Amino acid sequence: MTNLPPVPAGLRGAVDLSSLVNRPPAPAAPSGEPAEAPTAGGAGGAGAPASGQVAVPGLALDATDATFTQVLEISNTVPVIVDLWAEWCGPCKQLSPVLDKLVAEYAGRLLLVKVDVDANPQLTQAFQAQSIPAVAAVIGGRPVQLFVGALPEAQVRDVFEQVLELAAQNGVTGTAVVDGAPVGEADDVEPEPEPLPPHHQDAYDAIDRGDYAAAITAYRTAIAQDPRDQLAVAGLAQVSLLERLQGASLADVRAAAASAPTDLDAQLDVADLDLSGGHIDDAFDRVLTVFPSLDPQGRDAARARLLEYFEIVGVDDPRVATARRRLAMLLY
């Protein structure tokens, strides 16, 4: 991943997504899909939308709270797709290759900017990323919410087409050119992805079509053939979470947990929601709080769920280490 180049000193500092608050409203998005995101407070602003070219170090860039003002400037020439993600987020890892592939195919008509929500709280708040992966756009300095979750490639492509239509309505029809290369060569910058281990592609394909049961089977087969396949272990934990959350109603799940604070299943359901929304410590705390009141069977179930969470978040994450120590104290 290429980082955004350093910005001039005058552009550093707090994120400002409110520079167009007083401008006339942007046209409604096609099919009512993207909706303008609420903006953060502040002053300053990007220039008027324009066509043309803008030189960038790559078609997929990393941005931070300190450098996002430059993204606003770039969005006056080419529409920018913003991927809000985190290292511990399993669905983010499913979506990221799709975004990379499609942006490369558009050969500079779209630019992809990735924002780590854990490291960039201002942007997370500005885009109101309650759950990740969350994908937005910035067109002529205006933030536009797109979708939440790991959508299949075909649906993401449809959203990108709508972004281009909305951008054209606002006069943003330029092209991002990688290091000044000819436009036709921009899509040759991304290297070919390495082939996936056995059964991983089957799992990815199943997730792409929403068949989580088939993905679980594929990952279990991979683990059976190679118990040391940590990618499959983490993938199984991630897709199991997706399957449990499928069709879940946030309001119903939280109401059930509130009415039955000692019911393990109800608390695990809320913990799933917390984890999927990035509230890692809350998910861990919910399971560990109910743990002492459980019978041996319930403790086994709670411990198994925590181990899944540890794989999803990443075993090297300091929050996982803290939760492991607390679990060990409860066990022994």
PDB file of all heavy atoms in Angstrom, residues 221-260:
ATOM      1  N   THR A 221     -12.085 -27.860   5.860  1.00  0.00           N
ATOM      2  CA  THR A 221     -11.331 -28.809   5.046  1.00  0.00           C
ATOM      3  C   THR A 221      -9.860 -28.425   4.992  1.00  0.00           C
ATOM      4  O   THR A 221      -8.967 -29.281   5.102  1.00  0.00           O
ATOM      5  CB  THR A 221     -11.913 -28.871   3.620  1.00  0.00           C
ATOM      6  OG1 THR A 221     -13.295 -29.242   3.676  1.00  0.00           O
ATOM      7  CG2 THR A 221     -11.151 -29.881   2.771  1.00  0.00           C
ATOM      8  N   ALA A 222      -9.591 -27.135   4.833  1.00  0.00           N
ATOM      9  CA  ALA A 222      -8.203 -26.660   4.807  1.00  0.00           C
ATOM     10  C   ALA A 222      -7.501 -26.964   6.125  1.00  0.00           C
ATOM     11  O   ALA A 222      -6.333 -27.389   6.142  1.00  0.00           O
ATOM     12  CB  ALA A 222      -8.169 -25.165   4.517  1.00  0.00           C
ATOM     13  N   ILE A 223      -8.198 -26.759   7.243  1.00  0.00           N
ATOM     14  CA  ILE A 223      -7.603 -27.016   8.560  1.00  0.00           C
ATOM     15  C   ILE A 223      -7.371 -28.508   8.763  1.00  0.00           C
ATOM     16  O   ILE A 223      -6.340 -28.920   9.334  1.00  0.00           O
ATOM     17  CB  ILE A 223      -8.494 -26.436   9.663  1.00  0.00           C
ATOM     18  CG1 ILE A 223      -8.538 -24.906   9.554  1.00  0.00           C
ATOM     19  CG2 ILE A 223      -7.999 -26.848  11.044  1.00  0.00           C
ATOM     20  CD1 ILE A 223      -9.607 -24.258  10.428  1.00  0.00           C
ATOM     21  N   ALA A 224      -8.313 -29.329   8.290  1.00  0.00           N
ATOM     22  CA  ALA A 224      -8.154 -30.781   8.423  1.00  0.00           C
ATOM     23  C   ALA A 224      -6.917 -31.266   7.672  1.00  0.00           C
ATOM     24  O   ALA A 224      -6.213 -32.177   8.124  1.00  0.00           O
ATOM     25  CB  ALA A 224      -9.402 -31.498   7.909  1.00  0.00           C
ATOM     26  N   GLN A 225      -6.639 -30.651   6.523  1.00  0.00           N
ATOM     27  CA  GLN A 225      -5.485 -31.040   5.725  1.00  0.00           C
ATOM     28  C   GLN A 225      -4.185 -30.453   6.272  1.00  0.00           C
ATOM     29  O   GLN A 225      -3.119 -31.040   6.096  1.00  0.00           O
ATOM     30  CB  GLN A 225      -5.685 -30.608   4.272  1.00  0.00           C
ATOM     31  CG  GLN A 225      -6.817 -31.355   3.579  1.00  0.00           C
ATOM     32  CD  GLN A 225      -6.959 -30.986   2.116  1.00  0.00           C
ATOM     33  OE1 GLN A 225      -6.219 -30.145   1.599  1.00  0.00           O
ATOM     34  NE2 GLN A 225      -7.922 -31.594   1.441  1.00  0.00           N
ATOM     35  N   ASP A 226      -4.286 -29.284   6.925  1.00  0.00           N
ATOM     36  CA  ASP A 226      -3.092 -28.652   7.496  1.00  0.00           C
ATOM     37  C   ASP A 226      -3.497 -27.907   8.765  1.00  0.00           C
ATOM     38  O   ASP A 226      -3.880 -26.740   8.711  1.00  0.00           O
ATOM     39  CB  ASP A 226      -2.455 -27.692   6.491  1.00  0.00           C
ATOM     40  CG  ASP A 226      -1.196 -27.034   7.051  1.00  0.00           C
ATOM     41  OD1 ASP A 226      -0.772 -27.415   8.167  1.00  0.00           O
ATOM     42  OD2 ASP A 226      -0.654 -26.133   6.389  1.00  0.00           O
ATOM     43  N   PRO A 227      -3.424 -28.576   9.920  1.00  0.00           N
ATOM     44  CA  PRO A 227      -3.829 -27.933  11.178  1.00  0.00           C
ATOM     45  C   PRO A 227      -3.023 -26.677  11.499  1.00  0.00           C
ATOM     46  O   PRO A 227      -3.443 -25.881  12.350  1.00  0.00           O
ATOM     47  CB  PRO A 227      -3.581 -29.029  12.224  1.00  0.00           C
ATOM     48  CG  PRO A 227      -3.609 -30.313  11.458  1.00  0.00           C
ATOM     49  CD  PRO A 227      -3.027 -29.976  10.113  1.00  0.00           C
ATOM     50  N   ARG A 228      -1.888 -26.476  10.830  1.00  0.00           N
ATOM     51  CA  ARG A 228      -1.069 -25.283  11.084  1.00  0.00           C
ATOM     52  C   ARG A 228      -1.444 -24.111  10.185  1.00  0.00           C
ATOM     53  O   ARG A 228      -0.787 -23.054  10.217  1.00  0.00           O
ATOM     54  CB  ARG A 228       0.404 -25.613  10.882  1.00  0.00           C
ATOM     55  CG  ARG A 228       0.941 -26.647  11.871  1.00  0.00           C
ATOM     56  CD  ARG A 228       2.336 -27.085  11.497  1.00  0.00           C
ATOM     57  NE  ARG A 228       2.354 -27.732  10.177  1.00  0.00           N
ATOM     58  CZ  ARG A 228       3.450 -28.177   9.577  1.00  0.00           C
ATOM     59  NH1 ARG A 228       4.627 -28.024  10.173  1.00  0.00           N
ATOM     60  NH2 ARG A 228       3.382 -28.753   8.390  1.00  0.00           N
ATOM     61  N   ASP A 229      -2.491 -24.263   9.391  1.00  0.00           N
ATOM     62  CA  ASP A 229      -2.932 -23.208   8.476  1.00  0.00           C
ATOM     63  C   ASP A 229      -3.647 -22.117   9.280  1.00  0.00           C
ATOM     64  O   ASP A 229      -4.868 -22.135   9.442  1.00  0.00           O
ATOM     65  CB  ASP A 229      -3.866 -23.790   7.417  1.00  0.00           C
ATOM     66  CG  ASP A 229      -4.229 -22.791   6.321  1.00  0.00           C
ATOM     67  OD1 ASP A 229      -4.003 -21.585   6.517  1.00  0.00           O
ATOM     68  OD2 ASP A 229      -4.755 -23.222   5.273  1.00  0.00           O
ATOM     69  N   GLN A 230      -2.882 -21.159   9.784  1.00  0.00           N
ATOM     70  CA  GLN A 230      -3.450 -20.114  10.634  1.00  0.00           C
ATOM     71  C   GLN A 230      -4.390 -19.194   9.861  1.00  0.00           C
ATOM     72  O   GLN A 230      -5.340 -18.646  10.432  1.00  0.00           O
ATOM     73  CB  GLN A 230      -2.340 -19.293  11.288  1.00  0.00           C
ATOM     74  CG  GLN A 230      -1.585 -20.043  12.378  1.00  0.00           C
ATOM     75  CD  GLN A 230      -2.525 -20.539  13.458  1.00  0.00           C
ATOM     76  OE1 GLN A 230      -2.600 -21.749  13.700  1.00  0.00           O
ATOM     77  NE2 GLN A 230      -3.237 -19.639  14.108  1.00  0.00           N
ATOM     78  N   LEU A 231      -4.142 -19.015   8.556  1.00  0.00           N
ATOM     79  CA  LEU A 231      -5.064 -18.209   7.759  1.00  0.00           C
ATOM     80  C   LEU A 231      -6.440 -18.852   7.712  1.00  0.00           C
ATOM     81  O   LEU A 231      -7.462 -18.167   7.772  1.00  0.00           O
ATOM     82  CB  LEU A 231      -4.515 -18.021   6.348  1.00  0.00           C
ATOM     83  CG  LEU A 231      -3.303 -17.103   6.196  1.00  0.00           C
ATOM     84  CD1 LEU A 231      -2.828 -17.101   4.749  1.00  0.00           C
ATOM     85  CD2 LEU A 231      -3.642 -15.686   6.634  1.00  0.00           C
ATOM     86  N   ALA A 232      -6.466 -20.176   7.617  1.00  0.00           N
ATOM     87  CA  ALA A 232      -7.757 -20.872   7.599  1.00  0.00           C
ATOM     88  C   ALA A 232      -8.433 -20.809   8.955  1.00  0.00           C
ATOM     89  O   ALA A 232      -9.665 -20.659   9.046  1.00  0.00           O
ATOM     90  CB  ALA A 232      -7.555 -22.323   7.162  1.00  0.00           C
ATOM     91  N   VAL A 233      -7.632 -20.911  10.020  1.00  0.00           N
ATOM     92  CA  VAL A 233      -8.200 -20.813  11.376  1.00  0.00           C
ATOM     93  C   VAL A 233      -8.843 -19.441  11.583  1.00  0.00           C
ATOM     94  O   VAL A 233      -9.981 -19.334  12.072  1.00  0.00           O
ATOM     95  CB  VAL A 233      -7.108 -21.065  12.433  1.00  0.00           C
ATOM     96  CG1 VAL A 233      -7.640 -20.777  13.837  1.00  0.00           C
ATOM     97  CG2 VAL A 233      -6.606 -22.507  12.342  1.00  0.00           C
ATOM     98  N   ALA A 234      -8.118 -18.387  11.182  1.00  0.00           N
ATOM     99  CA  ALA A 234      -8.670 -17.035  11.319  1.00  0.00           C
ATOM    100  C   ALA A 234      -9.870 -16.843  10.398  1.00  0.00           C
ATOM    101  O   ALA A 234     -10.879 -16.240  10.783  1.00  0.00           O
ATOM    102  CB  ALA A 234      -7.591 -16.002  11.010  1.00  0.00           C
ATOM    103  N   GLY A 235      -9.767 -17.385   9.170  1.00  0.00           N
ATOM    104  CA  GLY A 235     -10.881 -17.257   8.228  1.00  0.00           C
ATOM    105  C   GLY A 235     -12.127 -17.949   8.733  1.00  0.00           C
ATOM    106  O   GLY A 235     -13.245 -17.434   8.581  1.00  0.00           O
ATOM    107  N   LEU A 236     -11.955 -19.127   9.349  1.00  0.00           N
ATOM    108  CA  LEU A 236     -13.104 -19.850   9.900  1.00  0.00           C
ATOM    109  C   LEU A 236     -13.774 -19.041  11.003  1.00  0.00           C
ATOM    110  O   LEU A 236     -15.014 -18.952  11.060  1.00  0.00           O
ATOM    111  CB  LEU A 236     -12.645 -21.208  10.440  1.00  0.00           C
ATOM    112  CG  LEU A 236     -13.713 -22.063  11.124  1.00  0.00           C
ATOM    113  CD1 LEU A 236     -14.855 -22.379  10.165  1.00  0.00           C
ATOM    114  CD2 LEU A 236     -13.099 -23.349  11.677  1.00  0.00           C
ATOM    115  N   ALA A 237     -12.977 -18.434  11.865  1.00  0.00           N
ATOM    116  CA  ALA A 237     -13.550 -17.607  12.932  1.00  0.00           C
ATOM    117  C   ALA A 237     -14.307 -16.422  12.357  1.00  0.00           C
ATOM    118  O   ALA A 237     -15.409 -16.074  12.809  1.00  0.00           O
ATOM    119  CB  ALA A 237     -12.433 -17.126  13.873  1.00  0.00           C
ATOM    120  N   GLN A 238     -13.750 -15.804  11.322  1.00  0.00           N
ATOM    121  CA  GLN A 238     -14.371 -14.619  10.732  1.00  0.00           C
ATOM    122  C   GLN A 238     -15.691 -14.960  10.041  1.00  0.00           C
ATOM    123  O   GLN A 238     -16.701 -14.268  10.221  1.00  0.00           O
ATOM    124  CB  GLN A 238     -13.402 -13.977   9.744  1.00  0.00           C
ATOM    125  CG  GLN A 238     -12.180 -13.379  10.417  1.00  0.00           C
ATOM    126  CD  GLN A 238     -11.020 -13.192   9.477  1.00  0.00           C
ATOM    127  OE1 GLN A 238     -11.124 -13.459   8.286  1.00  0.00           O
ATOM    128  NE2 GLN A 238      -9.884 -12.744  10.001  1.00  0.00           N
ATOM    129  N   VAL A 239     -15.689 -16.024   9.256  1.00  0.00           N
ATOM    130  CA  VAL A 239     -16.907 -16.354   8.515  1.00  0.00           C
ATOM    131  C   VAL A 239     -17.972 -16.923   9.451  1.00  0.00           C
ATOM    132  O   VAL A 239     -19.179 -16.761   9.202  1.00  0.00           O
ATOM    133  CB  VAL A 239     -16.586 -17.317   7.356  1.00  0.00           C
ATOM    134  CG1 VAL A 239     -16.387 -18.745   7.846  1.00  0.00           C
ATOM    135  CG2 VAL A 239     -17.706 -17.284   6.311  1.00  0.00           C
ATOM    136  N   SER A 240     -17.560 -17.565  10.542  1.00  0.00           N
ATOM    137  CA  SER A 240     -18.534 -18.026  11.542  1.00  0.00           C
ATOM    138  C   SER A 240     -19.256 -16.839  12.168  1.00  0.00           C
ATOM    139  O   SER A 240     -20.469 -16.886  12.411  1.00  0.00           O
ATOM    140  CB  SER A 240     -17.835 -18.856  12.620  1.00  0.00           C
ATOM    141  OG  SER A 240     -17.266 -20.034  12.072  1.00  0.00           O
ATOM    142  N   LEU A 241     -18.500 -15.777  12.412  1.00  0.00           N
ATOM    143  CA  LEU A 241     -19.118 -14.550  12.924  1.00  0.00           C
ATOM    144  C   LEU A 241     -20.110 -13.985  11.915  1.00  0.00           C
ATOM    145  O   LEU A 241     -21.228 -13.593  12.277  1.00  0.00           O
ATOM    146  CB  LEU A 241     -18.041 -13.515  13.245  1.00  0.00           C
ATOM    147  CG  LEU A 241     -18.525 -12.126  13.682  1.00  0.00           C
ATOM    148  CD1 LEU A 241     -19.263 -12.201  15.007  1.00  0.00           C
ATOM    149  CD2 LEU A 241     -17.358 -11.154  13.785  1.00  0.00           C
ATOM    150  N   LEU A 242     -19.729 -13.953  10.641  1.00  0.00           N
ATOM    151  CA  LEU A 242     -20.627 -13.444   9.609  1.00  0.00           C
ATOM    152  C   LEU A 242     -21.911 -14.269   9.543  1.00  0.00           C
ATOM    153  O   LEU A 242     -23.007 -13.713   9.398  1.00  0.00           O
ATOM    154  CB  LEU A 242     -19.930 -13.469   8.247  1.00  0.00           C
ATOM    155  CG  LEU A 242     -18.762 -12.506   8.046  1.00  0.00           C
ATOM    156  CD1 LEU A 242     -18.117 -12.743   6.692  1.00  0.00           C
ATOM    157  CD2 LEU A 242     -19.231 -11.065   8.162  1.00  0.00           C
ATOM    158  N   GLU A 243     -21.769 -15.590   9.658  1.00  0.00           N
ATOM    159  CA  GLU A 243     -22.956 -16.451   9.593  1.00  0.00           C
ATOM    160  C   GLU A 243     -23.885 -16.186  10.774  1.00  0.00           C
ATOM    161  O   GLU A 243     -25.112 -16.113  10.611  1.00  0.00           O
ATOM    162  CB  GLU A 243     -22.544 -17.916   9.569  1.00  0.00           C
ATOM    163  CG  GLU A 243     -23.735 -18.859   9.386  1.00  0.00           C
ATOM    164  CD  GLU A 243     -23.330 -20.313   9.400  1.00  0.00           C
ATOM    165  OE1 GLU A 243     -22.564 -20.707  10.299  1.00  0.00           O
ATOM    166  OE2 GLU A 243     -23.796 -21.068   8.530  1.00  0.00           O
ATOM    167  N   ARG A 244     -23.299 -16.011  11.961  1.00  0.00           N
ATOM    168  CA  ARG A 244     -24.145 -15.754  13.129  1.00  0.00           C
ATOM    169  C   ARG A 244     -24.854 -14.404  13.029  1.00  0.00           C
ATOM    170  O   ARG A 244     -25.977 -14.242  13.523  1.00  0.00           O
ATOM    171  CB  ARG A 244     -23.291 -15.789  14.407  1.00  0.00           C
ATOM    172  CG  ARG A 244     -22.760 -17.156  14.765  1.00  0.00           C
ATOM    173  CD  ARG A 244     -22.228 -17.200  16.181  1.00  0.00           C
ATOM    174  NE  ARG A 244     -21.135 -16.266  16.413  1.00  0.00           N
ATOM    175  CZ  ARG A 244     -19.844 -16.561  16.270  1.00  0.00           C
ATOM    176  NH1 ARG A 244     -19.487 -17.772  15.860  1.00  0.00           N
ATOM    177  NH2 ARG A 244     -18.910 -15.662  16.530  1.00  0.00           N
ATOM    178  N   LEU A 245     -24.220 -13.437  12.400  1.00  0.00           N
ATOM    179  CA  LEU A 245     -24.806 -12.093  12.310  1.00  0.00           C
ATOM    180  C   LEU A 245     -25.812 -11.969  11.168  1.00  0.00           C
ATOM    181  O   LEU A 245     -26.552 -10.987  11.113  1.00  0.00           O
ATOM    182  CB  LEU A 245     -23.701 -11.058  12.100  1.00  0.00           C
ATOM    183  CG  LEU A 245     -22.794 -10.792  13.304  1.00  0.00           C
ATOM    184  CD1 LEU A 245     -21.630  -9.899  12.896  1.00  0.00           C
ATOM    185  CD2 LEU A 245     -23.570 -10.155  14.441  1.00  0.00           C
ATOM    186  N   GLN A 246     -25.833 -12.935  10.261  1.00  0.00           N
ATOM    187  CA  GLN A 246     -26.699 -12.845   9.084  1.00  0.00           C
ATOM    188  C   GLN A 246     -28.163 -12.739   9.513  1.00  0.00           C
ATOM    189  O   GLN A 246     -28.687 -13.594  10.225  1.00  0.00           O
ATOM    190  CB  GLN A 246     -26.496 -14.058   8.182  1.00  0.00           C
ATOM    191  CG  GLN A 246     -27.075 -13.904   6.799  1.00  0.00           C
ATOM    192  CD  GLN A 246     -26.616 -15.032   5.885  1.00  0.00           C
ATOM    193  OE1 GLN A 246     -26.384 -16.151   6.331  1.00  0.00           O
ATOM    194  NE2 GLN A 246     -26.499 -14.750   4.596  1.00  0.00           N
ATOM    195  N   GLY A 247     -28.807 -11.671   9.108  1.00  0.00           N
ATOM    196  CA  GLY A 247     -30.216 -11.469   9.422  1.00  0.00           C
ATOM    197  C   GLY A 247     -30.485 -10.996  10.831  1.00  0.00           C
ATOM    198  O   GLY A 247     -31.649 -10.855  11.229  1.00  0.00           O
ATOM    199  N   ALA A 248     -29.445 -10.726  11.611  1.00  0.00           N
ATOM    200  CA  ALA A 248     -29.653 -10.305  12.995  1.00  0.00           C
ATOM    201  C   ALA A 248     -30.166  -8.874  13.057  1.00  0.00           C
ATOM    202  O   ALA A 248     -29.746  -8.017  12.279  1.00  0.00           O
ATOM    203  CB  ALA A 248     -28.346 -10.415  13.782  1.00  0.00           C
ATOM    204  N   SER A 249     -31.076  -8.625  13.983  1.00  0.00           N
ATOM    205  CA  SER A 249     -31.591  -7.281  14.226  1.00  0.00           C
ATOM    206  C   SER A 249     -30.893  -6.705  15.449  1.00  0.00           C
ATOM    207  O   SER A 249     -30.990  -7.274  16.545  1.00  0.00           O
ATOM    208  CB  SER A 249     -33.104  -7.313  14.457  1.00  0.00           C
ATOM    209  OG  SER A 249     -33.554  -6.114  15.042  1.00  0.00           O
ATOM    210  N   LEU A 250     -30.185  -5.607  15.260  1.00  0.00           N
ATOM    211  CA  LEU A 250     -29.435  -5.013  16.359  1.00  0.00           C
ATOM    212  C   LEU A 250     -30.334  -4.705  17.540  1.00  0.00           C
ATOM    213  O   LEU A 250     -29.996  -5.003  18.686  1.00  0.00           O
ATOM    214  CB  LEU A 250     -28.728  -3.752  15.872  1.00  0.00           C
ATOM    215  CG  LEU A 250     -27.748  -3.073  16.834  1.00  0.00           C
ATOM    216  CD1 LEU A 250     -26.645  -2.377  16.053  1.00  0.00           C
ATOM    217  CD2 LEU A 250     -28.457  -2.048  17.713  1.00  0.00           C
ATOM    218  N   ALA A 251     -31.484  -4.113  17.270  1.00  0.00           N
ATOM    219  CA  ALA A 251     -32.388  -3.727  18.357  1.00  0.00           C
ATOM    220  C   ALA A 251     -32.885  -4.955  19.118  1.00  0.00           C
ATOM    221  O   ALA A 251     -32.926  -4.970  20.354  1.00  0.00           O
ATOM    222  CB  ALA A 251     -33.564  -2.933  17.801  1.00  0.00           C
ATOM    223  N   ASP A 252     -33.263  -6.002  18.382  1.00  0.00           N
ATOM    224  CA  ASP A 252     -33.785  -7.211  19.028  1.00  0.00           C
ATOM    225  C   ASP A 252     -32.702  -7.900  19.849  1.00  0.00           C
ATOM    226  O   ASP A 252     -32.954  -8.369  20.968  1.00  0.00           O
ATOM    227  CB  ASP A 252     -34.328  -8.180  17.979  1.00  0.00           C
ATOM    228  CG  ASP A 252     -35.598  -7.666  17.310  1.00  0.00           C
ATOM    229  OD1 ASP A 252     -36.205  -6.720  17.854  1.00  0.00           O
ATOM    230  OD2 ASP A 252     -35.965  -8.214  16.258  1.00  0.00           O
ATOM    231  N   VAL A 253     -31.491  -7.972  19.304  1.00  0.00           N
ATOM    232  CA  VAL A 253     -30.403  -8.643  20.009  1.00  0.00           C
ATOM    233  C   VAL A 253     -30.072  -7.918  21.300  1.00  0.00           C
ATOM    234  O   VAL A 253     -29.910  -8.532  22.364  1.00  0.00           O
ATOM    235  CB  VAL A 253     -29.157  -8.741  19.098  1.00  0.00           C
ATOM    236  CG1 VAL A 253     -27.929  -9.162  19.899  1.00  0.00           C
ATOM    237  CG2 VAL A 253     -29.409  -9.729  17.968  1.00  0.00           C
ATOM    238  N   ARG A 254     -29.982  -6.602  21.235  1.00  0.00           N
ATOM    239  CA  ARG A 254     -29.640  -5.846  22.443  1.00  0.00           C
ATOM    240  C   ARG A 254     -30.773  -5.881  23.461  1.00  0.00           C
ATOM    241  O   ARG A 254     -30.532  -5.914  24.673  1.00  0.00           O
ATOM    242  CB  ARG A 254     -29.275  -4.412  22.078  1.00  0.00           C
ATOM    243  CG  ARG A 254     -27.981  -4.317  21.268  1.00  0.00           C
ATOM    244  CD  ARG A 254     -27.355  -2.939  21.339  1.00  0.00           C
ATOM    245  NE  ARG A 254     -26.114  -2.866  20.579  1.00  0.00           N
ATOM    246  CZ  ARG A 254     -24.941  -3.283  21.025  1.00  0.00           C
ATOM    247  NH1 ARG A 254     -24.865  -3.799  22.245  1.00  0.00           N
ATOM    248  NH2 ARG A 254     -23.857  -3.179  20.278  1.00  0.00           N
ATOM    249  N   ALA A 255     -32.009  -5.876  22.994  1.00  0.00           N
ATOM    250  CA  ALA A 255     -33.143  -5.963  23.926  1.00  0.00           C
ATOM    251  C   ALA A 255     -33.156  -7.307  24.643  1.00  0.00           C
ATOM    252  O   ALA A 255     -33.409  -7.376  25.854  1.00  0.00           O
ATOM    253  CB  ALA A 255     -34.456  -5.750  23.168  1.00  0.00           C
ATOM    254  N   ALA A 256     -32.869  -8.375  23.910  1.00  0.00           N
ATOM    255  CA  ALA A 256     -32.839  -9.706  24.523  1.00  0.00           C
ATOM    256  C   ALA A 256     -31.736  -9.803  25.566  1.00  0.00           C
ATOM    257  O   ALA A 256     -31.918 -10.381  26.648  1.00  0.00           O
ATOM    258  CB  ALA A 256     -32.643 -10.769  23.439  1.00  0.00           C
ATOM    259  N   ALA A 257     -30.586  -9.233  25.280  1.00  0.00           N
ATOM    260  CA  ALA A 257     -29.474  -9.272  26.229  1.00  0.00           C
ATOM    261  C   ALA A 257     -29.770  -8.443  27.474  1.00  0.00           C
ATOM    262  O   ALA A 257     -29.422  -8.832  28.590  1.00  0.00           O
ATOM    263  CB  ALA A 257     -28.202  -8.778  25.558  1.00  0.00           C
ATOM    264  N   ALA A 258     -30.430  -7.298  27.272  1.00  0.00           N
ATOM    265  CA  ALA A 258     -30.753  -6.441  28.410  1.00  0.00           C
ATOM    266  C   ALA A 258     -31.767  -7.103  29.343  1.00  0.00           C
ATOM    267  O   ALA A 258     -31.711  -6.922  30.569  1.00  0.00           O
ATOM    268  CB  ALA A 258     -31.301  -5.101  27.920  1.00  0.00           C
ATOM    269  N   SER A 259     -32.677  -7.885  28.775  1.00  0.00           N
ATOM    270  CA  SER A 259     -33.707  -8.533  29.591  1.00  0.00           C
ATOM    271  C   SER A 259     -33.214  -9.818  30.240  1.00  0.00           C
ATOM    272  O   SER A 259     -33.872 -10.341  31.143  1.00  0.00           O
ATOM    273  CB  SER A 259     -34.936  -8.834  28.726  1.00  0.00           C
ATOM    274  OG  SER A 259     -34.615  -9.762  27.699  1.00  0.00           O
ATOM    275  N   ALA A 260     -32.071 -10.343  29.783  1.00  0.00           N
ATOM    276  CA  ALA A 260     -31.543 -11.586  30.347  1.00  0.00           C
ATOM    277  C   ALA A 260     -30.031 -11.462  30.529  1.00  0.00           C
ATOM    278  O   ALA A 260     -29.257 -12.056  29.768  1.00  0.00           O
ATOM    279  CB  ALA A 260     -31.890 -12.771  29.448  1.00  0.00           C
TER     280      ALA A 260
END
